[in-house]
Amino acid sequence: MAEFRQEGQLGVERRAMLTGTIGAAAMLGLQACAPASGSRPATLRAPSRRTALVPIRISRDQLIDVKCCIRPLRAAGPNLDVETVGDALVIHNYGHGGSGWSLSWGSADIAVGKALSVLPREIAVVGCGIIGLTTAVMAQRAGLKVTLYARESIQQTRSFRASGSFTPDSRIALAEPAGPAFGELWERMARFSWKAFRTYLGLPGHPVEFGDSYQLSDTPITRREWPADPAITQNFATSGRPQQNSEFGHYSERIRDIVPQAQPLSAEENPFPQPHVRRSSQMIFNFASYAHVMLGEFFERGGQFVMRDFARPADYAALPQKVVINCTGYAARDLWQDKTIIPVRGQTGWLVPQPDAFYSVRYRNVSLTSKRDGIVVMNNNPDMGEMLGVGDSMELPNVADIEKGLEIMAPVFAPGFQAQG
Ligand SMILES: Cc1cc2nc3c(=O)[nH]c(=O)nc-3n(C[C@H](O)[C@H](O)[C@H](O)COP(=O)(O)OP(=O)(O)OC[C@H]3O[C@@H](n4cnc5c(N)ncnc54)[C@H](O)[C@@H]3O)c2cc1C
């Protein structure tokens, strides 16, 4: 059994060989034989063999970028309302919090459905982040001619500064202001999106793929609850922004039947030094190749892209298209004076891509997600939960915070990490 050894702390070159793959292959084989019905064979497991993993190089010199972005949170959930501006019908599609990538198809389906109700032959879409681009392609698939207007290209959008996994109920709404009806809407968007993303699996360039995700802990893993703290007397209703975690809405249980769930690893299977490990499968979006595929379809279907900065809603009425879908994300706060949008700052560090170490790890408050375009590092404050970044619109990166995250993660790949079973 080869053992990975760390020759010091951060900044030291590491080496490990990967030879054993029986555990993962056996697991795949068993899954292929699983019944096609909705029932999940919880007891069907591969024989206990140590999971073979190449260690992730997390030294400081591997850090090649830090990106900062604002999540557009609305207490009631995304704005999908319709209004008229002059003689233009404007359908809004913005305010998707930390779930814009994940809900993009379902949200586009609803917005395009509203546009189709007035039987237009062509429409405008304003904004080419993940919401605008998806909406534009969705409208084309419905037979509409689409012109996409935006003040920047997709690579410059906030969507390109996200982390890129399926997180459909991350800071998407606050439970009370959104109300029970939002749960229904959310479920419709999440299910629609999940199915749409599956059509991109297996394509060259891997625009969408699944990777294993490991949650590690020094103590038994339990679900963290955030009960309301009675000492906090303010809330969204009194202050205009959430004041504690218990105010956020959580909806993921609604789609538990379609999303892989975490399973504990036995001591024999566990390659990490931490004694408690759970593994799940995570849907990942690779931004560059996903945008490439989406833009390819947009232009093949005759789409037009116009770079343009809109100063006010009246500019929408001046467009030749009389049906406009507004996908301006956080920018709608100023452009549409929608002060119900609450900024939620977040940032990601990016390590050099390591395709041979293709898996994600969460340990304490830090996550590493290995993707084709880099290994995403996020350092979240464990005591803040979803409150981290709420009300903060400062969009400059804080590199020291990511460096701290790398230090926290260092013990995971310390001596004791076993590269093969
Ligand atoms: C750190 C971080 C990690 C995240 N990770 C994930 C994740 O893993 N999964 C997930 O689902 N979500 C994630 N999110 C959330 C996700 O990034 C957002 O929900 C999503 O990017 C919103 O997309 P959008 O298209 O609405 O907005 P944007 O990407 O901001 O796009 C807005 C578009 O509008 C255009 N625009 C704006 N103003 C004007 C104007 N005046 N005139 C013309 N054009 C204009 C812009 O040019 C741009 O094209 C994350 C967010 C953060 C901060």
Side-chain angles (χ1 to χ4, degrees), residues 3-20:
E3 187 173 311
F4 169 70
R5 298 212 173 272
Q6 185 181 6
E7 295 159 342
Q9 283 299 307
L10 291 173
V12 178
E13 176 68 33
R14 296 174 192 145
R15 189 166 48 88
M17 296 300 295
L18 169 70
T19 54

Side-chain angles (χ1 to χ4, degrees), residues 97-98 100-102 128 131 151-152 159 163-165 167 308-310 331:
W101 277 84
S102 312
C128 74
I131 298 294
R151 67 181 175 193
E152 58 214 342
S159 294
S163 52
S165 47
T167 57
R308 176 162 169 189
D309 195 349
F310 292 76

Side-chain angles (χ1 to χ4, degrees), residues 262-344:
Q263 303 292 339
L265 289 193
S266 66
E268 294 76 36
E269 295 168 304
N270 179 10
F272 298 99
Q274 288 69 28
H276 304 281
V277 178
R278 289 166 70 84
R279 178 174 56 202
S280 61
S281 304
Q282 186 180 24
M283 183 186 270
I284 296 168
F285 312 121
N286 291 305
F287 299 155
S289 91
Y290 191 77
H292 184 72
V293 172
M294 291 290 282
L295 285 171
E297 179 170 351
F298 176 72
F299 288 119
E300 266 173 33
R301 288 181 182 272
Q304 301 281 319
F305 178 81
V306 178
M307 198 159 275
R308 176 162 169 189
D309 195 349
F310 292 76
R312 59 193 71 80
D315 292 349
Y316 286 55
L319 292 173
Q321 298 83 12
K322 291 300 152 200
V323 176
V324 187
I325 305 184
N326 173 45
C327 308
T328 45
Y330 180 66
R333 193 170 199 276
D334 288 335
L335 181 58
W336 284 83
Q337 288 296 300
D338 182 353
K339 301 304 179 193
T340 68
I341 301 179
I342 302 162
V344 185

Side-chain angles (χ1 to χ4, degrees), residues 72 78-80 92-97 99-109 111-112 125-138 148 154 157 159 172 189 193 290 294 325-329:
N79 186 2
L80 291 160
H92 295 295
N93 189 11
Y94 66 81
H96 296 78
S99 305
W101 277 84
S102 312
L103 295 177
S104 51
W105 285 102
S107 198
D109 178 52
V112 170
V125 173
V126 180
C128 74
I130 190 57
I131 298 294
L133 188 55
T134 313
T135 301
V137 169
M138 190 87 195
L148 193 47
I154 185 163
T157 63
S159 294
I172 186 63
M189 292 192 288
S193 294
Y290 191 77
M294 291 290 282
I325 305 184
N326 173 45
C327 308
T328 45

Side-chain angles (χ1 to χ4, degrees), residues 135-150:
T135 301
V137 169
M138 190 87 195
Q140 290 177 315
R141 290 182 186 178
L144 302 180
K145 184 177 173 209
V146 179
T147 305
L148 193 47
Y149 297 89

